[in-house]
Amino acid sequence: MSQHDSMDLDHYSVTARPLADGDLPRLHELTVGVGWPHRTEDLRLLMSVAQGYVACDEIGRVSGSALWFPMGDGAASIGMVITTPRMQSRGAGRWLMELVLRDAGDREIVLNATPQGIRLYEQLGFHTTQIGHQRQGEALLPPPAPPPAGLTLRALTPADLPALLALDRAATGHDRQAALNAVLPLSDGVGLEDGSGALVGYALSRMFGRGQLIGPLVARTDAEAMALAAHFVTAHAGQFLRLDTLVLDGPFAGFLDRCGLPVAGSMTHMWLNRRPRAATDQRSYAMISQALN
């Protein structure tokens, strides 16, 4: 990563420099300006596991950002790609993305695009894999969703970390240990255990934005996912709750509707340099967040 990259955007001089701890207040101002819900605490979490750039004008104001989150040595996710309208109209989003992609090298790259960003990412070579839904609202007491026969719902413990990481990697195809290590201390967690004592699914919930966020959630079936999600919906009934998912229909989606979590927006899950996937029974039902995923 170079120390500084500069660009003259239609006689508007901008410098991109590596993200630094002191950028937290300015990054928060940027997210507020574009209507994103991130609290300072949410951005601090993202910055603890991110690399990337902020774009600054001649008087030091942050007017753009693009971050990437390594997932082991072979993959990364990209998030927090933000530019002010003035910067966007001058091509700053593409410039920042090119800097991030240069640093990420030949890794497999995944991101969740807003509708406004899809065209840019397609021009950079990204392909669409799935459409996702952001679901949120004031949570209602869920309909009955007991664990399937033979499974027990229980709180996660530190001893579950190796099994949790294995489940997550099977579901996503990526090594997300760094992100999960950052998220776990801030989260409540539950798992599904089979009769042999093996963990077969898990879910986390933490404060994010306007309320609570459920994610990640990994399970083998909709029934297992519903049992995991129901624990947190019950705990936060009457409060604002959000869950980002690539599961758009079927029993799990219907369950979320009945829990007071309607579709509030969509995202497009995209990839670059995609690697082959091993077959697995595990499925990701809810994302950590759009940036960390």
Side-chain angles (χ1 to χ4, degrees), residues 61-134:
R61 293 175 300 191
V62 171
S63 51
S65 65
L67 308 184
W68 66 284
F69 305 82
M71 296 188 289
D73 295 328
S77 63
I78 289 178
M80 296 297 294
V81 181
I82 307 173
T83 56
T84 61
R86 183 181 183 185
M87 288 274 286
Q88 187 175 22
S89 67
R90 290 165 168 79
R94 183 185 186 98
W95 173 52
L96 289 167
M97 277 294 299
E98 288 173 343
L99 295 177
V100 166
L101 291 175
R102 179 192 67 189
D103 291 350
D106 63 354
R107 288 175 168 87
E108 174 178 303
I109 307 292
V110 297
L111 58 80
N112 292 306
T114 63
Q116 297 82 5
I118 293 172
R119 182 180 177 188
L120 167 62
Y121 301 133
E122 288 177 339
Q123 291 172 347
L124 291 169
F126 283 81
H127 300 272
T128 296
T129 52
Q130 292 174 274
I131 302 299
H133 283 163
Q134 177 184 315

Side-chain angles (χ1 to χ4, degrees), residues 251-266:
F252 183 69
F255 171 79
L256 296 177
D257 288 331
R258 296 191 294 276
C259 291
L261 303 180
V263 175
S266 66

